[in-house]
Amino acid sequence: MTVLDSLLDAARAAQARAHAPYSRFRVGSAILDEAGAVHAGCNVENAAYPVGTCAEAGAIAAMVAAGGRRIAAILVLGDGDALVTPCGACRQRIREFAAPDTPVHVAGPGGLRRSFTLDELLPASFGPDNLA
């Protein structure tokens, strides 16, 4: 099994557990950390819409809670015909823990659809190094 297969399996399992009673749009995400561990998250909606949590945020929180500090790769899985890339806020969340060349994989029900680098999704970004 490849790393990409492991990320896709973890994201699928998380997506199946998403709490999306309002949009009915389930998203799963999985992160490979610097030690090779995989951490997953799903979207969790809330009746007060701005209070919900994206799948990527959940995966990042799981990584940090488990002791991971760097994102080596991330995969986002969503349904539908369009690419389900991280929202702007999640791109910034990913930036906190990832390098510009970190792969961001986007998948759908049939598997991998496209891969980007973080820098392609969030060019000229503001991050921790700006505060050094």
Side-chain angles (χ1 to χ4, degrees):
M1 178 178 279
T2 69
V3 169
L4 198 54
D5 290 332
S6 295
L7 290 173
L8 188 55
D9 286 350
R12 278 189 177 128
Q15 182 189 32
R17 296 183 194 106
H19 178 74
Y22 307 106
S23 72
R24 293 182 174 46
F25 192 80
R26 297 172 178 267
V27 179
S29 182
I31 289 173
L32 177 71
D33 73 14
E34 74 276 14
V38 174
H39 311 277
C42 60
N43 59 318
V44 179
E45 295 179 349
N46 189 289
Y49 291 120
V51 182
T53 305
C54 295
E56 300 91 327
I60 290 168
M63 177 190 76
V64 171
R69 291 294 177 256
R70 297 294 305 160
I71 296 173
I74 184 168
L75 183 138
V76 181
L77 170 67
D79 293 331
D81 295 331
L83 291 176
V84 179
T85 60
C87 72
C90 283
R91 291 175 193 207
Q92 187 64 46
R93 287 182 181 102
I94 294 165
R95 173 65 178 88
E96 184 71 17
F97 299 96
D101 63 347
T102 298
V104 179
H105 305 292
V106 179
L112 182 67
R113 290 183 169 173
R114 186 158 173 202
S115 295
F116 301 88
T117 64
L118 178 58
D119 197 46
E120 288 174 309
L121 292 177
L122 191 65
S125 66
F126 181 88
D129 50 313
N130 292 98
L131 301 176

